[in-house]
Structure formats: structure tokens, C-alpha cells
């Protein structure tokens, strides 16, 4: 991100016809958008393109969720038919929806809006060994990069992350522990709905995954992000990490959705720390690991409504707020130009 | 609000293709919209019409703000010229902006978008006696009702409250204390920017206002809302209270902005408790009294970004979230219709 444009944006915020600082967090978002575009005022962050990366998880076998694995493929069909919450929210904010199969454990018929980049039919069980090979993880990162660059080439001015993958909050918790050194107890949540016994089992699965894959001990030194992704990540996590890198390389902001995106952004940040400057935290989900990830990334979320759905829904809700932050720098009069007395 | 439509909406939320409860606060908003319209699914809450009620305050003489009083009229001109943050946010979400002069202490030239309902050239100093006569308070409530009914008659499907009035966070704090029994120390904040000494002075002014007007002692019995508005309110507070009543009478949702709207909504709720069912709390401002007011009203805010600007900016930012809540009930497929396996 461009430090000069950020300084200009900060200085401009204080000359606009509003008390200094009175737009709170949105002032920081405006500065971030200016830094991403290396321009003040920044361009409007749009049009918006949501990519929902879908994949399955071998750890599903450990009973970490009450939902059957087949729901991943069924929800892909629901996205393509326009019937999911992500579709409704995308319609609300004027975003396009692209669904990317990076690892669904079923054959998906070709359909408009579906990009097939299947790398495997789901991952292996991360609680018994690495979820993927290093080659698979790299291929998934590359798939995410390609999808991101493609959307920007077709005109997108803002990328939004989405995900679908039954059991993927378990992989997210493991990634967050590996990258931040957090304990599984603190980073693991109920996801889309396990009970107390299920949560305890899930914490145990995450702990075992870290042990089996040699990732315990609080990330004492620099970790190899591809090794971590391969060991305890999902194909959609790796792809979202690549998608974030594509946004940064294109100087386009990327709005992160929930805990899956937060875990993926940790991997992206480990690969290329500067990419965090292009990230906006769309929301904070009800998953406790998400707050851990955002704190590690230094990002403050825009929307805090106890969402725990995924799909990109939190990123979509945040998108108009990001647009509003850009408009402040682009459209609001200064004290001088409006003839308003400064205090 | 209609209990049957609310029950239908609650039941429908659980059949949609998402884990039950996974949309957090937005599920409650959807239920509220169904109740307001007495229909499930509810209509889309739009088009959106923001009314910015502008007025001046005699308590300005007590040094409760670093901003000169003339800024109220200057900002009205800025709204009408399209240069304020409220204009930028209205453009972002597709809302119309109407500015209503209910008590600016200056002659405002007629202009498109300006409704003149001036009741006085500012209020009297609430720390030395009643800010208004009862007749003035009633006239301001009526002005707000008329503006609200007018906007609905011209097609608005969602009303948004806005305000402009240098020193109006002082009157808001006094109203909140009078209606909730809160202590001035807890309900008074820095507004648009007083320092620690200024804040201490402001707390003292609020305390004196309650004493002088016989409103101390924690609202032991039912208070006469018109008497409270007249004693320590502003003309814009009274008008916003009327505006809220107009929304409820029209069965249209109203998105409350910040602490000024929160204080006004307490008055509206005291006049007609059922009107709260038509209110959505757009955001929670940095002013401590706002949280006190929202708790008393039983409303959870949608946006929490440390905004402290007023003008309707928090209501405007919340508007797309309210739209998204309606779309969930209108557009999202059920497990049955989408062929997705329920857990």
C-alpha cells in the first residue's frame, strides 16, 4: 500500500466538513483504500465481485459437525440457482457471484457461474496426517490467484471472499492456532452448530491435528505457510489465500468474510506481509478464532452482527460501508469550499 | 407491530437454507420488518427517505461545544448543496435527503430540498429554565409527523432520522436522563469534541438543567413526555419524535440515527409505546448516553463504528443491512425447495 496516498487521505479527512475523527473506523478504511489504489481520493471500490471457493474436508469423518458432507455440493447448486443468502446479499449490494470448485467431493455438472478448478475430491483427514500434499496446496493457491486476476481483468474493482465447505471451521481453527500460536481451546468455536459435547470433541480434533502435523508449541519461529496450509488447511483456505494475493498484486481492495477468510488471510500474510494493506475485514463472526485472527492481522471488522454463515455474507454486508468510506474522500466538501466555520 | 406476521417470519427463518440463527441480529430485523408491515415476507424497506431536522439551542451560551452556533445554518447550506457526509452516504445507498428547519437561529433562504417549519429561532437555555413552551414542543412534534406522513405519501417505504444542531448532544443527554433516570455523569459525552474540562462543564450543565426543570430523582413515576421535551429538549428532538410516530402510524420502518434520535425515540416511546416496534437502531454512536437510550428502548444497533457525526449518517449506513434482512425472508430458498439436506 502507498504511504504517500495514505498520508494525503489522513490529512484530507481533517479538512472535510465534519468534526475530526467523527467517522470513526470508516476514516481508517478510507485511508486504506487510498493506500491500496495509491491515489487520494481513491477510486470507488467497485464493481464488486464475490468468489465463493467450495471444497470438502476429510476431517468431516471425525464428527466435527452435524451437517452431512453432501451439503457442500448441494449448497453449490443453491448458489448457482440463486437461492442462498449470499445471492440475496449480492443482489442487495450489486455484486457478482462466482462459485469456484477447488475440491468438492462430488462431480459437479458444468453451469454458468461455476468455475471448475477441482484439485482433489476433498482433503485428507487433518487429524491423522497432512490434509494435502504441498503440490495440492500450491495448486489451490494458484487457482485462487487465477480467479482473482481474472475477475479484476474483467473489471472488478473490489474482490470479496466467500467459502463453502462442511467442516471448514475445524480447519480454520487449526490454521489460526498454527499461525498465531493460539491454543485450540481459544480458537475453536461451535461453527454452524455443534453442541457442548461436539465442541469439546472439535477442540480435541484440532489439538490432535496440530500434534500429528508437528505444529504445536506456539509458532516459535517463522513457519512455512505452504507447509501449514497443506498440513491443516482446506483447499478453499489455500485458494482464498491466493485470491488475497491477487487483489494485492492488482492494487484492488479485498473484503474478507469470516473465520475461513481470516485463517486464509493469515496464510497470505505469511507468504507476503504487504498484502494485509489491501485487506478490509468485512465482519467479525461468532467464531472465537476469528477475533484471534483479526487481532493478529491488525484488522478491525466493520460489521459485528453475530453472523456465522460464511458464503461471503459478512463481506457482502460490509461492501456498502467500504463504498461509503471512499465517497467521503471523493465527495464531501471541505470547510473552505463549503464556507463552514471550523472550530 | 403485528405479532402473527412476526411469528411467521421467525418460523420461516428456520426453514431457509442456512443454519438456524446463523444470521444473528439480522434475523431479528427481518422479524421486526414483518411485524411493521404486518406481512411475511415483508416488503422491501424502500425507497429510503432521510429527513434532517435542524435547530439551534440556547444552551450553546453555556460553552458546551467548541463549535460556533452559526455552523448549524452553514451545515444546512452544505446539505442543500450536496457537500456533507450525509449527502455522500445518501448517494451510496440511494436515499433522498430532505432538510427541515424546525428552529435554526438564522433566516434560511428558500431552496429545493428545504422544508421550512421554523417554530422558534432556537430554544431557550435549558440550564436556566424550560427550553420551549409546551405549545412549541407540540408544534415541533406535529412538524415531524407532517414531514414523515408527507414522505410516505410521496412513496417512501423506509424513513431515516437525521439531525443538525450545534449543542444538541447536551439536550440529548438531559432528555436521556429525564426519561431513563440515568445520572448525567453516565449519559453525557464529548459530543463533536469537547476536552475533559469541557466535558465536566457539560455534565454540570445537564445536571443543572434537570434540577432547574424539576426532572431529577430518576423518573420515579410516569413522566409527561411533552413537558420533558419542552423542558430540556430541542426542537429537532421533538420533531424527530413526531417523525417516529408518523412511521409507526404508516406501518413503515424508521431507522434511528445516533444519540439525538435515541433521545427523541424515548420521547416517542413515552407518547406511544408501540412505536418502538417500528424502530430499527441504525448504529451506536460514541456518545455514552446513546447506549443508555438504546438499552431502555430494547434496541440493538446494527452499525458500531465509533461514529459521532449525526446528520443521519449512521442510519444511512445501516439502511443496506436492513434491506438485506428483508431480502433473506423474500428471496432465500428453503431446505425443501432447494433440495439441501437439513441437519
Amino acid at each position: 500500500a502507498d504511504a504517500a496516498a495514505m498520508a494525503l487521505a489522513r490529512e484530507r479527512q481533517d479538512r472535510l466538513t465534519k468534526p475530526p475523527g467523527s467517522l470513526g473506523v470508516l476514516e481508517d478504511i478510507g485511508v486504506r483504500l487510498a493506500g491500496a489504489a495509491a491515489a487520494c481520493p481513491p477510486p470507488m471500490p467497485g464493481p464488486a465481485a464475490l468468489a465463493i471457493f467450495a471444497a470438502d474436508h476429510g476431517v468431516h469423518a471425525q464428527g466435527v459437525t452435524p451437517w452431512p458432507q453432501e451439503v457442500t455440493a448441494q449448497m453449490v447448486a443453491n448458489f448457482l440457482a440463486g437461492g442462498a443468502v449470499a445471492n440475496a446479499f449480492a443482489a442487495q449490494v450489486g455484486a457478482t457471484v462466482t462459485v469456484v470448485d477447488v475440491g468438492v467431493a462430488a462431480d459437479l455438472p458444468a453451469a454458468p457461474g461455476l468455475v471448475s478448478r477441482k484439485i482433489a475430491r476433498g482433503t485428507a483427514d487433518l487429524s491423522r496426517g497432512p490434509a494435502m500434499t504441498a503440490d495440492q496446496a500450491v495448486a489451490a493457491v494458484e487457482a485462487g490467484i487465477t480467479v482473482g486476476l481474472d475477475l479484476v481483468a474483467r473489471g472488478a474493482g473490489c474482490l470479496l471472499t466467500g467459502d463453502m465447505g462442511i467442516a471448514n471451521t475445524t480447519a480454520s481453527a487449526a490454521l489460526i492456532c498454527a499461525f498465531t500460536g493460539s491454543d485450540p481451546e481459544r480458537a475453536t468455536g461451535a461453527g454452524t452448530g455443534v453442541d457442548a459435547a461436539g465442541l469439546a470433541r472439535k477442540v480435541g480434533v484440532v489439538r490432535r491435528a496440530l500434534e500429528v502435523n508437528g505444529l504445536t508449541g506456539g509458532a516459535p519461529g517463522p513457519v512455512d505457510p505452504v507447509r501449514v496450509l497443506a498440513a491443516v488447511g482446506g483447499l478453499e483456505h489455500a485458494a482464498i489465500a491466493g485470491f488475497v494475493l491477487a487483489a494485492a498484486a492488482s492494487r484492488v481492495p479485498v473484503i474478507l468474510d469470516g473465520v475461513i477468510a481470516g485463517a486464509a488471510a493469515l496464510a497470505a500474510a505469511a507468504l507476503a506481509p504487504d498484502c494485509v494493506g489491501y485487506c478490509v475485514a468485512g465482519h467479525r463472526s461468532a467464531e472465537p478464532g476469528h477475533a484471534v485472527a483479526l487481532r493478529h492481522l491488525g484488522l478491525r471488522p466493520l460489521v459485528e452482527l453475530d453472523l456465522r454463515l460464511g458464503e461471503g455474507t459478512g463481506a457482502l454486508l460490509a461492501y456498502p460501508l467500504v463504498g461509503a468510506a471512499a465517497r467521503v474522500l471523493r465527495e464531501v466538501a471541505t470547510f473552505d469550499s463549503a464556507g463552514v466555520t471550523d472550530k
Side-chain angles (χ1 to χ4, degrees), chain A:
Chain A
D2 189 271
M6 293 174 80
L8 275 174
R10 240 179 241 113
E11 183 267 334
R12 184 172 174 79
Q13 299 276 22
D14 287 346
R15 287 187 295 122
L16 301 177
T17 45
K18 61 173 184 54
S22 61
L23 286 175
V25 180
L26 285 193
E27 301 199 7
D28 301 330
I29 300 294
V31 169
R32 191 169 277 266
L33 294 174
C40 180
M44 281 303 290
L50 170 69
I52 304 178
F53 295 92
D56 278 307
H57 297 266
V59 73
H60 185 273
Q62 299 295 328
V64 289
T65 169
W67 297 87
Q69 188 172 69
E70 72 214 39
V71 170
T72 302
Q74 289 169 346
M75 283 302 297
V76 166
N78 199 18
F79 298 138
L80 295 171
V85 176
N87 301 100
F89 287 5
Q92 176 68 24
V93 306
T96 61
V97 178
T98 302
V99 184
V100 187
D101 173 11
V102 282
V104 179
D107 293 321
L108 302 180
L114 176 65
V115 174
S116 183
R117 295 291 306 247
K118 197 193 292 282
I119 288 149
R121 292 172 72 91
T123 53
D125 181 349
L126 54 84
S127 72
R128 310 184 69 170
M132 304 174 243
T133 66
D135 281 355
Q136 286 175 324
V138 168
V141 171
E142 285 173 347
I145 292 173
T146 305
V147 169
L149 294 178
D150 233 54
L151 288 170
V152 173
R154 286 189 279 149
C158 186
L159 299 183
L160 282 66
T161 78
D163 71 274
M164 182 67 223
I166 297 299
N168 67 7
T169 60
T170 300
S172 298
L175 286 171
I176 290 166
C177 291
F179 281 116
T180 70
S182 175
D183 188 85
E185 195 88 48
R186 284 184 50 233
T188 309
T192 46
V194 289
D195 57 15
L199 178 56
R201 187 166 57 242
K202 197 169 159 183
V203 171
V205 167
V206 171
R207 197 178 299 285
R208 209 150 67 236
L210 296 169
E211 285 164 9
V212 160
N213 287 287
L215 292 170
T216 48
V223 287
D224 173 352
V226 170
R227 190 177 97 70
V228 174
L229 276 172
V232 295
L235 289 153
E236 74 274 50
H237 293 95
I240 292 171
F243 191 67
V244 169
L245 297 176
S250 308
R251 308 195 74 84
V252 154
V254 54
I255 307 182
L256 305 176
D257 189 39
V259 68
I260 285 84
L266 289 171
L271 286 163
D274 286 355
C275 76
V276 178
Y278 299 82
C279 293
V280 171
H283 86 124
R284 188 183 68 198
S285 85
E287 281 290 292
H290 194 195
V292 174
L294 292 178
R295 212 174 309 123
H296 196 83
L297 293 164
L299 296 175
R300 172 155 169 188
L302 288 175
V303 171
E304 302 190 49
L305 296 173
D306 296 342
L307 306 179
R308 49 184 177 79
L309 177 55
E311 304 181 358
T313 50
L316 288 162
L317 289 179
Y319 175 60
L321 305 180
V322 177
R327 273 189 203 263
V328 169
L329 288 167
R330 295 175 61 78
E331 298 179 10
V332 176
T334 61
F335 282 103
D336 276 358
S337 72
V340 174
T341 309
D342 202 348
K343 72 173 174 180

